[in-house]
Every structure is written in structure tokens, then in C-alpha cells.
Amino acid sequence: GVILMTFLAIQFTIAISRYGIHTYVEKQGRDVAREHAVAGFLTLVRVVAWILGSVFLLDNLGFRISTVVAGLGISGIAVALAAQAILGDLFSYITIMFDRPFEIGDFIIVGDSMGVVQNLGIKSTRLSSLGGEQIILSNKDLTDSRVRNYKRMERRRVLFRVGVTYQTPLDRLREIPGLIRDIVASVEDTAFDRAHFASYGDFSLVFEVVYYVIGNDYTKYMDLQQAINYRIHEEFEARRIEFAYPTQTLFLQKGD
């Protein structure tokens, strides 16, 4: 009877855990990466449930398990101290699995490392960098760091500057902010924010422009910025507005 009750209790605990975890996953949305992570976590739950159930069963069958448990407790503390880095990564893995700060396929930046998430393991997470090499980060480093997830970016803020020569007439300078606003507004999937005569540079009058690109595709952002640059160059040429470049003016004074 004790053996049967212990077996049923273990199976019931595993079933309840599986149901709760799968219910949570269903609410978050199904994907291959999350299901893989859940399978690994359920394996851990089964191991813990069977260990605890076996200890309970042996104790009820009359074995002097308390001495063994005490010895295992002391040994467990020693093992835990020796393997605290591994345990830290394991708990970080559980945190990442449930919190989901990123998914497989997301482009993330962690400190000086950046790349596409390839695999999320119990001990480490693997990124494929822009250079092609694989970057391996411990899960604890990920949970202790600020992670920037570009895959979840809804729109990209773009700031750029345009410099024109000091010889540009004032009426032309006043036309430039409105001209750039019209150019940006005419390009699809952009949202214009502002354009101002920002400062007097060392060799140019500097205009600062801010707009947003709808979406997170970097190639799309570069295509739109290229289109805007072409249009600005075209309109400046038509109005005879000259772009500035680094120059020096040397004044000579003839002596007596």
C-alpha cells in the first residue's frame, strides 16, 4: 500500500507540474524553443519528484534513512558550494524560460557581444555574431546584464545631420527644415519627428534631423535612409545649396 501510494503521489505531482507549465506556455504562445525549454524543465521536475518520493518510501518501509539524509545534506552543501556557478546558471535558465526576455532567432546585444540567438541551454546560450563566429554566454551573465532585444523593436529612431556652407543665404537656410520634412514624409514607412538648424560647426551650418522607421529590419532602414539622402542631394542641387566639407581659409597680411 505504501509503495502504491508513493508511486501515485509521484505521478500526481509530475502530472500537476506538467499541466501547470503547459497551461502557462499556452498563454505565452507556442514555439519550438519554448517547448524545448519546457521539456528540459519537466525532466528536472521528474528527477526531483522521484528522489523525494524514494526517500519517503524508504523511510516508511523502516530503513534508517535519517542518517543517510543527514550525510547527504552535508555532502549536498559541499557540492552546492563547489557547483554554485552551475546552479546559478540553472536557476537563470529557469528564469529565462519563464520570463522570455528573448527567443531563438532574436537579435540581441549583451554588453560588448551581439548576435542572433541560436540555442538556449541549461548552462549557456549561444549567439551567432555578425562576423559569423559563435558566442557562448552563461545564462547567469544574461540575467545579470542589460539585454537589448532588437527583434521586438516596433520602430527605429534615426538621427542624422546635414552640413551646408557658411555662404548659404539666410532665405535658403530657412527653407531647409521644411524641405527635409517634406522629403522624409514622402518616403513610405517613415514618421517625421523634427528638423532644425542645430548649431554653427567649425566649417558648416549644421541641421539636425530626427525621424522613425516603422519596423525592426536593418536593411529596410538603410534602404530608406539611402532614398532620403538621394532626395536631399537632388533638392539641394536644384536650389544651389552647397554641402559643406572640411576647409580652411588662410588670411595673409603683407608687412611694411
Side-chain angles (χ1 to χ4, degrees):
V2 171
I3 294 174
L4 178 61
M5 291 299 296
T6 303
F7 176 78
L8 292 177
I10 293 172
Q11 293 298 327
F12 178 76
T13 302
I14 294 173
I16 288 294
S17 301
R18 183 188 297 112
Y19 174 77
I21 293 172
H22 280 297
T23 301
Y24 174 81
V25 170
E26 289 288 345
K27 292 180 180 179
Q28 297 296 316
R30 300 184 65 87
D31 62 67
V32 176
R34 185 176 284 114
E35 290 178 358
H36 176 74
V38 166
F41 184 69
L42 284 175
T43 300
L44 180 63
V45 170
R46 291 190 189 96
V47 171
V48 173
W50 279 104
I51 290 175
L52 295 178
S54 300
V55 170
F56 172 81
L57 176 62
L58 292 174
D59 185 62
N60 280 273
L61 291 177
F63 291 91
R64 297 177 60 84
I65 200 67
S66 58
T67 305
V68 177
V69 171
L72 290 175
I74 297 173
S75 301
I77 293 174
V79 171
L81 291 174
Q84 56 182 337
I86 298 176
L87 293 175
D89 288 329
L90 174 61
F91 287 117
S92 296
Y93 165 76
I94 296 173
T95 301
I96 293 172
M97 187 188 70
F98 284 102
D99 192 47
R100 309 309 297 178
F102 52 82
E103 309 280 348
I104 290 179
D106 290 0
F107 182 86
I108 65 173
I109 296 179
V110 184
D112 296 332
S113 303
M114 65 177 68
V116 178
V117 180
Q118 279 188 326
N119 180 60
L120 173 60
I122 295 178
K123 176 71 173 65
S124 62
T125 296
R126 291 170 170 79
L127 308 181
S128 176
S129 73
L130 296 177
E133 70 273 15
Q134 188 178 73
I135 303 174
I136 302 174
L137 300 172
S138 69
N139 292 330
K140 192 173 187 305
D141 287 342
L142 289 172
T143 54
D144 291 343
S145 303
R146 291 179 176 87
V147 178
R148 288 184 285 173
N149 191 334
Y150 281 83
K151 184 68 175 293
R152 298 177 184 177
M153 178 190 295
E154 296 181 358
R155 62 178 189 169
R156 183 187 298 270
R157 184 178 185 269
V158 183
L159 183 150
F160 71 95
R161 294 178 177 86
V162 176
V164 299
T165 62
Y166 271 89
Q167 290 75 25
T168 306
L170 180 59
D171 57 341
R172 288 283 185 249
L173 293 178
R174 287 173 173 160
E175 292 177 3
I176 291 176
L179 177 64
I180 294 178
R181 181 190 63 236
D182 295 340
I183 291 173
V184 174
S186 67
V187 178
E188 292 185 2
D189 293 331
T190 63
F192 177 80
D193 185 18
R194 61 180 178 83
H196 294 95
F197 177 15
S199 63
Y200 292 91
D202 293 336
F203 52 83
S204 65
L205 304 175
V206 181
F207 287 81
E208 188 174 86
V209 183
V210 177
Y211 71 96
Y212 294 91
V213 174
I214 309 303
N216 56 23
D217 188 346
Y218 186 80
T219 302
K220 175 184 177 182
Y221 147 64
M222 289 302 300
D223 289 341
L224 296 180
Q225 181 64 52
Q226 177 178 256
I228 290 171
N229 288 338
Y230 284 149
R231 289 289 309 280
I232 291 175
H233 199 286
E234 180 184 356
E235 295 295 337
F236 277 25
E237 257 190 0
R239 290 167 171 76
R240 299 184 180 276
I241 300 173
E242 296 184 5
F243 292 98
Y245 54 89
T247 56
Q248 288 184 339
T249 303
L250 183 62
F251 295 93
L252 299 177
Q253 183 176 358
K254 184 180 293 187
D256 293 338

mmCIF file of all heavy atoms in Angstrom, residues 6-7 9-22 36-54 90-91 93-94 97-98 122:
data_model
loop_
_atom_site.group_PDB
_atom_site.id
_atom_site.type_symbol
_atom_site.label_atom_id
_atom_site.label_comp_id
_atom_site.label_asym_id
_atom_site.label_seq_id
_atom_site.Cartn_x
_atom_site.Cartn_y
_atom_site.Cartn_z
ATOM 1 N N THR A 6 2.935 5.923 -2.742
ATOM 2 C CA THR A 6 4.089 6.744 -3.104
ATOM 3 C C THR A 6 4.176 6.911 -4.615
ATOM 4 O O THR A 6 4.409 8.018 -5.127
ATOM 5 C CB THR A 6 5.386 6.108 -2.579
ATOM 6 O OG1 THR A 6 5.293 5.934 -1.158
ATOM 7 C CG2 THR A 6 6.590 6.967 -2.912
ATOM 8 N N PHE A 7 3.979 5.801 -5.337
ATOM 9 C CA PHE A 7 4.030 5.855 -6.797
ATOM 10 C C PHE A 7 2.949 6.795 -7.347
ATOM 11 O O PHE A 7 3.207 7.625 -8.234
ATOM 12 C CB PHE A 7 3.853 4.449 -7.369
ATOM 13 C CG PHE A 7 3.804 4.406 -8.874
ATOM 14 C CD1 PHE A 7 4.970 4.492 -9.622
ATOM 15 C CD2 PHE A 7 2.581 4.302 -9.533
ATOM 16 C CE1 PHE A 7 4.907 4.462 -11.007
ATOM 17 C CE2 PHE A 7 2.530 4.274 -10.908
ATOM 18 C CZ PHE A 7 3.690 4.357 -11.656
ATOM 19 N N ALA A 9 1.473 9.259 -5.744
ATOM 20 C CA ALA A 9 1.772 10.638 -5.348
ATOM 21 C C ALA A 9 2.817 11.259 -6.278
ATOM 22 O O ALA A 9 2.712 12.429 -6.671
ATOM 23 C CB ALA A 9 2.262 10.671 -3.907
ATOM 24 N N ILE A 10 3.839 10.478 -6.638
ATOM 25 C CA ILE A 10 4.871 10.981 -7.556
ATOM 26 C C ILE A 10 4.262 11.297 -8.916
ATOM 27 O O ILE A 10 4.505 12.364 -9.499
ATOM 28 C CB ILE A 10 6.007 9.953 -7.684
ATOM 29 C CG1 ILE A 10 6.767 9.830 -6.363
ATOM 30 C CG2 ILE A 10 6.965 10.349 -8.808
ATOM 31 C CD1 ILE A 10 7.788 8.702 -6.355
ATOM 32 N N GLN A 11 3.448 10.361 -9.426
ATOM 33 C CA GLN A 11 2.830 10.582 -10.734
ATOM 34 C C GLN A 11 1.879 11.780 -10.706
ATOM 35 O O GLN A 11 1.811 12.559 -11.676
ATOM 36 C CB GLN A 11 2.073 9.322 -11.168
ATOM 37 C CG GLN A 11 2.963 8.128 -11.464
ATOM 38 C CD GLN A 11 3.916 8.384 -12.615
ATOM 39 O OE1 GLN A 11 3.593 9.099 -13.553
ATOM 40 N NE2 GLN A 11 5.117 7.811 -12.541
ATOM 41 N N PHE A 12 1.168 11.929 -9.590
ATOM 42 C CA PHE A 12 0.241 13.064 -9.464
ATOM 43 C C PHE A 12 1.014 14.382 -9.445
ATOM 44 O O PHE A 12 0.621 15.361 -10.094
ATOM 45 C CB PHE A 12 -0.587 12.907 -8.181
ATOM 46 C CG PHE A 12 -1.530 14.049 -7.930
ATOM 47 C CD1 PHE A 12 -2.709 14.160 -8.656
ATOM 48 C CD2 PHE A 12 -1.242 15.015 -6.974
ATOM 49 C CE1 PHE A 12 -3.584 15.215 -8.432
ATOM 50 C CE2 PHE A 12 -2.099 16.062 -6.743
ATOM 51 C CZ PHE A 12 -3.277 16.170 -7.478
ATOM 52 N N THR A 13 2.134 14.409 -8.709
ATOM 53 C CA THR A 13 2.949 15.629 -8.650
ATOM 54 C C THR A 13 3.494 15.996 -10.022
ATOM 55 O O THR A 13 3.463 17.164 -10.444
ATOM 56 C CB THR A 13 4.115 15.444 -7.666
ATOM 57 O OG1 THR A 13 3.594 15.118 -6.371
ATOM 58 C CG2 THR A 13 4.963 16.696 -7.577
ATOM 59 N N ILE A 14 3.974 15.000 -10.757
ATOM 60 C CA ILE A 14 4.506 15.250 -12.097
ATOM 61 C C ILE A 14 3.404 15.726 -13.039
ATOM 62 O O ILE A 14 3.591 16.655 -13.840
ATOM 63 C CB ILE A 14 5.186 13.973 -12.642
ATOM 64 C CG1 ILE A 14 6.429 13.636 -11.810
ATOM 65 C CG2 ILE A 14 5.563 14.144 -14.111
ATOM 66 C CD1 ILE A 14 7.069 12.308 -12.173
ATOM 67 N N ALA A 15 2.223 15.096 -12.938
ATOM 68 C CA ALA A 15 1.107 15.475 -13.810
ATOM 69 C C ALA A 15 0.652 16.906 -13.542
ATOM 70 O O ALA A 15 0.395 17.686 -14.472
ATOM 71 C CB ALA A 15 -0.058 14.500 -13.624
ATOM 72 N N ILE A 16 0.550 17.279 -12.237
ATOM 73 C CA ILE A 16 0.148 18.643 -11.885
ATOM 74 C C ILE A 16 1.180 19.649 -12.401
ATOM 75 O O ILE A 16 0.833 20.718 -12.939
ATOM 76 C CB ILE A 16 -0.025 18.773 -10.361
ATOM 77 C CG1 ILE A 16 -1.282 18.027 -9.913
ATOM 78 C CG2 ILE A 16 -0.112 20.237 -9.942
ATOM 79 C CD1 ILE A 16 -2.581 18.615 -10.429
ATOM 80 N N SER A 17 2.465 19.319 -12.238
ATOM 81 C CA SER A 17 3.522 20.216 -12.711
ATOM 82 C C SER A 17 3.453 20.380 -14.224
ATOM 83 O O SER A 17 3.574 21.488 -14.756
ATOM 84 C CB SER A 17 4.895 19.676 -12.307
ATOM 85 O OG SER A 17 4.998 19.542 -10.909
ATOM 86 N N ARG A 18 3.247 19.245 -14.918
ATOM 87 C CA ARG A 18 3.172 19.303 -16.377
ATOM 88 C C ARG A 18 1.979 20.140 -16.825
ATOM 89 O O ARG A 18 2.089 20.964 -17.750
ATOM 90 C CB ARG A 18 3.059 17.891 -16.950
ATOM 91 C CG ARG A 18 3.056 17.868 -18.486
ATOM 92 C CD ARG A 18 2.743 16.486 -19.039
ATOM 93 N NE ARG A 18 3.755 15.521 -18.659
ATOM 94 C CZ ARG A 18 3.560 14.506 -17.831
ATOM 95 N NH1 ARG A 18 2.355 14.333 -17.272
ATOM 96 N NH2 ARG A 18 4.528 13.658 -17.552
ATOM 97 N N TYR A 19 0.848 19.952 -16.177
ATOM 98 C CA TYR A 19 -0.352 20.708 -16.546
ATOM 99 C C TYR A 19 -0.147 22.206 -16.314
ATOM 100 O O TYR A 19 -0.491 23.035 -17.165
ATOM 101 C CB TYR A 19 -1.553 20.217 -15.735
ATOM 102 C CG TYR A 19 -2.799 21.044 -15.942
ATOM 103 C CD1 TYR A 19 -3.565 20.881 -17.102
ATOM 104 C CD2 TYR A 19 -3.202 21.986 -15.003
ATOM 105 C CE1 TYR A 19 -4.710 21.642 -17.300
ATOM 106 C CE2 TYR A 19 -4.330 22.751 -15.198
ATOM 107 C CZ TYR A 19 -5.087 22.578 -16.344
ATOM 108 O OH TYR A 19 -6.200 23.345 -16.553
ATOM 109 N N GLY A 20 0.418 22.561 -15.146
ATOM 110 C CA GLY A 20 0.631 23.980 -14.852
ATOM 111 C C GLY A 20 1.596 24.636 -15.823
ATOM 112 O O GLY A 20 1.353 25.754 -16.303
ATOM 113 N N ILE A 21 2.694 23.940 -16.136
ATOM 114 C CA ILE A 21 3.686 24.511 -17.045
ATOM 115 C C ILE A 21 3.118 24.641 -18.452
ATOM 116 O O ILE A 21 3.290 25.670 -19.118
ATOM 117 C CB ILE A 21 4.963 23.643 -17.043
ATOM 118 C CG1 ILE A 21 5.646 23.733 -15.677
ATOM 119 C CG2 ILE A 21 5.917 24.089 -18.142
ATOM 120 C CD1 ILE A 21 6.804 22.776 -15.502
ATOM 121 N N HIS A 22 2.418 23.614 -18.938
ATOM 122 C CA HIS A 22 1.853 23.678 -20.286
ATOM 123 C C HIS A 22 0.752 24.742 -20.384
ATOM 124 O O HIS A 22 0.616 25.388 -21.431
ATOM 125 C CB HIS A 22 1.301 22.313 -20.704
ATOM 126 C CG HIS A 22 2.359 21.362 -21.174
ATOM 127 N ND1 HIS A 22 3.125 21.598 -22.293
ATOM 128 C CD2 HIS A 22 2.805 20.176 -20.661
ATOM 129 C CE1 HIS A 22 3.977 20.609 -22.473
ATOM 130 N NE2 HIS A 22 3.813 19.725 -21.485
ATOM 131 N N HIS A 36 11.020 23.168 -26.239
ATOM 132 C CA HIS A 36 12.278 22.510 -25.906
ATOM 133 C C HIS A 36 12.693 22.832 -24.472
ATOM 134 O O HIS A 36 13.145 21.952 -23.727
ATOM 135 C CB HIS A 36 13.360 22.954 -26.887
ATOM 136 C CG HIS A 36 14.713 22.399 -26.570
ATOM 137 N ND1 HIS A 36 15.044 21.080 -26.794
ATOM 138 C CD2 HIS A 36 15.829 22.987 -26.040
ATOM 139 C CE1 HIS A 36 16.291 20.871 -26.421
ATOM 140 N NE2 HIS A 36 16.786 22.009 -25.959
ATOM 141 N N ALA A 37 12.542 24.091 -24.087
ATOM 142 C CA ALA A 37 12.901 24.501 -22.725
ATOM 143 C C ALA A 37 11.991 23.834 -21.693
ATOM 144 O O ALA A 37 12.446 23.399 -20.624
ATOM 145 C CB ALA A 37 12.819 26.021 -22.604
ATOM 146 N N VAL A 38 10.706 23.726 -22.009
ATOM 147 C CA VAL A 38 9.759 23.092 -21.095
ATOM 148 C C VAL A 38 10.092 21.616 -20.912
ATOM 149 O O VAL A 38 10.011 21.077 -19.797
ATOM 150 C CB VAL A 38 8.316 23.269 -21.622
ATOM 151 C CG1 VAL A 38 7.356 22.350 -20.891
ATOM 152 C CG2 VAL A 38 7.872 24.711 -21.452
ATOM 153 N N ALA A 39 10.489 20.943 -21.991
ATOM 154 C CA ALA A 39 10.849 19.528 -21.888
ATOM 155 C C ALA A 39 12.026 19.327 -20.938
ATOM 156 O O ALA A 39 12.037 18.400 -20.115
ATOM 157 C CB ALA A 39 11.189 18.984 -23.281
ATOM 158 N N GLY A 40 13.023 20.209 -21.012
ATOM 159 C CA GLY A 40 14.161 20.109 -20.106
ATOM 160 C C GLY A 40 13.772 20.374 -18.663
ATOM 161 O O GLY A 40 14.241 19.688 -17.742
ATOM 162 N N PHE A 41 12.882 21.337 -18.445
ATOM 163 C CA PHE A 41 12.450 21.650 -17.082
ATOM 164 C C PHE A 41 11.614 20.523 -16.499
ATOM 165 O O PHE A 41 11.736 20.191 -15.317
ATOM 166 C CB PHE A 41 11.659 22.959 -17.091
ATOM 167 C CG PHE A 41 11.259 23.422 -15.723
ATOM 168 C CD1 PHE A 41 12.206 23.870 -14.822
ATOM 169 C CD2 PHE A 41 9.928 23.395 -15.326
ATOM 170 C CE1 PHE A 41 11.845 24.290 -13.566
ATOM 171 C CE2 PHE A 41 9.554 23.813 -14.068
ATOM 172 C CZ PHE A 41 10.521 24.273 -13.177
ATOM 173 N N LEU A 42 10.759 19.899 -17.313
ATOM 174 C CA LEU A 42 9.945 18.783 -16.819
ATOM 175 C C LEU A 42 10.815 17.583 -16.450
ATOM 176 O O LEU A 42 10.494 16.854 -15.502
ATOM 177 C CB LEU A 42 8.917 18.384 -17.882
ATOM 178 C CG LEU A 42 7.709 19.318 -18.028
ATOM 179 C CD1 LEU A 42 6.826 18.885 -19.178
ATOM 180 C CD2 LEU A 42 6.903 19.360 -16.729
ATOM 181 N N THR A 43 11.904 17.390 -17.164
ATOM 182 C CA THR A 43 12.851 16.318 -16.806
ATOM 183 C C THR A 43 13.423 16.566 -15.413
ATOM 184 O O THR A 43 13.537 15.640 -14.590
ATOM 185 C CB THR A 43 13.988 16.240 -17.836
ATOM 186 O OG1 THR A 43 13.432 15.971 -19.127
ATOM 187 C CG2 THR A 43 14.974 15.152 -17.474
ATOM 188 N N LEU A 44 13.764 17.810 -15.134
ATOM 189 C CA LEU A 44 14.270 18.166 -13.807
ATOM 190 C C LEU A 44 13.207 17.928 -12.733
ATOM 191 O O LEU A 44 13.513 17.412 -11.639
ATOM 192 C CB LEU A 44 14.705 19.635 -13.802
ATOM 193 C CG LEU A 44 15.270 20.185 -12.499
ATOM 194 C CD1 LEU A 44 16.554 19.448 -12.121
ATOM 195 C CD2 LEU A 44 15.533 21.676 -12.611
ATOM 196 N N VAL A 45 11.948 18.262 -13.028
ATOM 197 C CA VAL A 45 10.853 18.040 -12.073
ATOM 198 C C VAL A 45 10.689 16.549 -11.790
ATOM 199 O O VAL A 45 10.510 16.139 -10.627
ATOM 200 C CB VAL A 45 9.545 18.649 -12.616
ATOM 201 C CG1 VAL A 45 8.356 18.223 -11.755
ATOM 202 C CG2 VAL A 45 9.642 20.159 -12.656
ATOM 203 N N ARG A 46 10.770 15.723 -12.813
ATOM 204 C CA ARG A 46 10.634 14.265 -12.623
ATOM 205 C C ARG A 46 11.747 13.723 -11.723
ATOM 206 O O ARG A 46 11.491 12.903 -10.818
ATOM 207 C CB ARG A 46 10.675 13.561 -13.980
ATOM 208 C CG ARG A 46 9.462 13.803 -14.859
ATOM 209 C CD ARG A 46 9.480 12.870 -16.054
ATOM 210 N NE ARG A 46 8.455 13.224 -17.019
ATOM 211 C CZ ARG A 46 8.673 13.977 -18.093
ATOM 212 N NH1 ARG A 46 9.882 14.448 -18.315
ATOM 213 N NH2 ARG A 46 7.695 14.256 -18.926
ATOM 214 N N VAL A 47 12.975 14.159 -11.967
ATOM 215 C CA VAL A 47 14.103 13.678 -11.161
ATOM 216 C C VAL A 47 13.914 14.046 -9.698
ATOM 217 O O VAL A 47 14.073 13.207 -8.791
ATOM 218 C CB VAL A 47 15.427 14.247 -11.719
ATOM 219 C CG1 VAL A 47 16.579 13.947 -10.762
ATOM 220 C CG2 VAL A 47 15.714 13.672 -13.093
ATOM 221 N N VAL A 48 13.555 15.290 -9.434
ATOM 222 C CA VAL A 48 13.363 15.740 -8.053
ATOM 223 C C VAL A 48 12.212 14.986 -7.392
ATOM 224 O O VAL A 48 12.301 14.553 -6.229
ATOM 225 C CB VAL A 48 13.115 17.268 -8.024
ATOM 226 C CG1 VAL A 48 12.735 17.721 -6.616
ATOM 227 C CG2 VAL A 48 14.360 18.020 -8.494
ATOM 228 N N ALA A 49 11.094 14.800 -8.127
ATOM 229 C CA ALA A 49 9.935 14.102 -7.565
ATOM 230 C C ALA A 49 10.271 12.655 -7.216
ATOM 231 O O ALA A 49 9.890 12.155 -6.135
ATOM 232 C CB ALA A 49 8.769 14.153 -8.555
ATOM 233 N N TRP A 50 11.002 11.959 -8.079
ATOM 234 C CA TRP A 50 11.348 10.565 -7.797
ATOM 235 C C TRP A 50 12.348 10.441 -6.644
ATOM 236 O O TRP A 50 12.274 9.506 -5.851
ATOM 237 C CB TRP A 50 11.915 9.899 -9.051
ATOM 238 C CG TRP A 50 10.838 9.436 -9.994
ATOM 239 C CD1 TRP A 50 10.440 10.004 -11.158
ATOM 240 C CD2 TRP A 50 10.001 8.291 -9.792
ATOM 241 N NE1 TRP A 50 9.413 9.294 -11.726
ATOM 242 C CE2 TRP A 50 9.115 8.236 -10.912
ATOM 243 C CE3 TRP A 50 9.896 7.319 -8.807
ATOM 244 C CZ2 TRP A 50 8.154 7.244 -11.057
ATOM 245 C CZ3 TRP A 50 8.935 6.313 -8.959
ATOM 246 C CH2 TRP A 50 8.089 6.287 -10.061
ATOM 247 N N ILE A 51 13.269 11.392 -6.536
ATOM 248 C CA ILE A 51 14.221 11.352 -5.415
ATOM 249 C C ILE A 51 13.497 11.539 -4.095
ATOM 250 O O ILE A 51 13.684 10.767 -3.129
ATOM 251 C CB ILE A 51 15.312 12.430 -5.606
ATOM 252 C CG1 ILE A 51 16.243 12.051 -6.759
ATOM 253 C CG2 ILE A 51 16.127 12.605 -4.328
ATOM 254 C CD1 ILE A 51 17.271 13.120 -7.094
ATOM 255 N N LEU A 52 12.635 12.560 -4.023
ATOM 256 C CA LEU A 52 11.900 12.807 -2.782
ATOM 257 C C LEU A 52 10.953 11.655 -2.462
ATOM 258 O O LEU A 52 10.813 11.247 -1.294
ATOM 259 C CB LEU A 52 11.123 14.128 -2.893
ATOM 260 C CG LEU A 52 11.973 15.397 -3.019
ATOM 261 C CD1 LEU A 52 11.077 16.624 -3.170
ATOM 262 C CD2 LEU A 52 12.871 15.559 -1.786
ATOM 263 N N GLY A 53 10.295 11.119 -3.491
ATOM 264 C CA GLY A 53 9.388 10.000 -3.275
ATOM 265 C C GLY A 53 10.124 8.754 -2.795
ATOM 266 O O GLY A 53 9.624 8.032 -1.912
ATOM 267 N N SER A 54 11.311 8.498 -3.344
ATOM 268 C CA SER A 54 12.093 7.332 -2.917
ATOM 269 C C SER A 54 12.540 7.465 -1.466
ATOM 270 O O SER A 54 12.495 6.490 -0.695
ATOM 271 C CB SER A 54 13.315 7.168 -3.834
ATOM 272 O OG SER A 54 12.909 6.969 -5.177
ATOM 273 N N LEU A 90 21.691 27.297 -13.823
ATOM 274 C CA LEU A 90 20.458 26.516 -13.898
ATOM 275 C C LEU A 90 19.253 27.365 -13.513
ATOM 276 O O LEU A 90 18.233 27.377 -14.219
ATOM 277 C CB LEU A 90 20.560 25.298 -12.981
ATOM 278 C CG LEU A 90 19.291 24.447 -12.844
ATOM 279 C CD1 LEU A 90 18.880 23.883 -14.195
ATOM 280 C CD2 LEU A 90 19.512 23.329 -11.826
ATOM 281 N N PHE A 91 19.359 28.101 -12.392
ATOM 282 C CA PHE A 91 18.241 28.965 -11.983
ATOM 283 C C PHE A 91 18.031 30.105 -12.980
ATOM 284 O O PHE A 91 16.894 30.534 -13.217
ATOM 285 C CB PHE A 91 18.484 29.516 -10.585
ATOM 286 C CG PHE A 91 18.322 28.481 -9.494
ATOM 287 C CD1 PHE A 91 19.389 28.126 -8.692
ATOM 288 C CD2 PHE A 91 17.100 27.864 -9.279
ATOM 289 C CE1 PHE A 91 19.250 27.159 -7.697
ATOM 290 C CE2 PHE A 91 16.940 26.905 -8.288
ATOM 291 C CZ PHE A 91 18.023 26.551 -7.492
ATOM 292 N N TYR A 93 18.547 29.812 -16.151
ATOM 293 C CA TYR A 93 17.864 29.152 -17.273
ATOM 294 C C TYR A 93 16.356 29.093 -17.017
ATOM 295 O O TYR A 93 15.545 29.369 -17.910
ATOM 296 C CB TYR A 93 18.438 27.752 -17.454
ATOM 297 C CG TYR A 93 17.609 26.836 -18.316
ATOM 298 C CD1 TYR A 93 17.603 26.968 -19.703
ATOM 299 C CD2 TYR A 93 16.822 25.832 -17.744
ATOM 300 C CE1 TYR A 93 16.847 26.122 -20.488
ATOM 301 C CE2 TYR A 93 16.071 24.988 -18.537
ATOM 302 C CZ TYR A 93 16.087 25.131 -19.901
ATOM 303 O OH TYR A 93 15.335 24.303 -20.681
ATOM 304 N N ILE A 94 15.990 28.748 -15.775
ATOM 305 C CA ILE A 94 14.561 28.689 -15.428
ATOM 306 C C ILE A 94 13.943 30.081 -15.540
ATOM 307 O O ILE A 94 12.823 30.252 -16.039
ATOM 308 C CB ILE A 94 14.390 28.111 -14.014
ATOM 309 C CG1 ILE A 94 14.880 26.657 -13.979
ATOM 310 C CG2 ILE A 94 12.934 28.181 -13.574
ATOM 311 C CD1 ILE A 94 14.922 26.047 -12.595
ATOM 312 N N MET A 97 13.498 30.944 -19.158
ATOM 313 C CA MET A 97 12.447 30.139 -19.762
ATOM 314 C C MET A 97 11.063 30.709 -19.474
ATOM 315 O O MET A 97 10.196 30.757 -20.352
ATOM 316 C CB MET A 97 12.531 28.699 -19.259
ATOM 317 C CG MET A 97 11.571 27.766 -19.970
ATOM 318 S SD MET A 97 11.524 26.140 -19.212
ATOM 319 C CE MET A 97 10.692 26.503 -17.667
ATOM 320 N N PHE A 98 10.850 31.185 -18.245
ATOM 321 C CA PHE A 98 9.520 31.680 -17.882
ATOM 322 C C PHE A 98 9.355 33.163 -18.208
ATOM 323 O O PHE A 98 8.275 33.599 -18.589
ATOM 324 C CB PHE A 98 9.252 31.435 -16.395
ATOM 325 C CG PHE A 98 8.913 30.004 -16.078
ATOM 326 C CD1 PHE A 98 9.858 29.154 -15.527
ATOM 327 C CD2 PHE A 98 7.656 29.507 -16.344
ATOM 328 C CE1 PHE A 98 9.555 27.839 -15.240
ATOM 329 C CE2 PHE A 98 7.333 28.188 -16.062
ATOM 330 C CZ PHE A 98 8.290 27.352 -15.511
ATOM 331 N N ILE A 122 20.721 24.687 -20.740
ATOM 332 C CA ILE A 122 20.626 24.775 -19.278
ATOM 333 C C ILE A 122 21.800 25.564 -18.712
ATOM 334 O O ILE A 122 21.651 26.321 -17.757
ATOM 335 C CB ILE A 122 20.563 23.370 -18.669
ATOM 336 C CG1 ILE A 122 19.270 22.670 -19.095
ATOM 337 C CG2 ILE A 122 20.635 23.428 -17.151
ATOM 338 C CD1 ILE A 122 19.141 21.251 -18.586
#
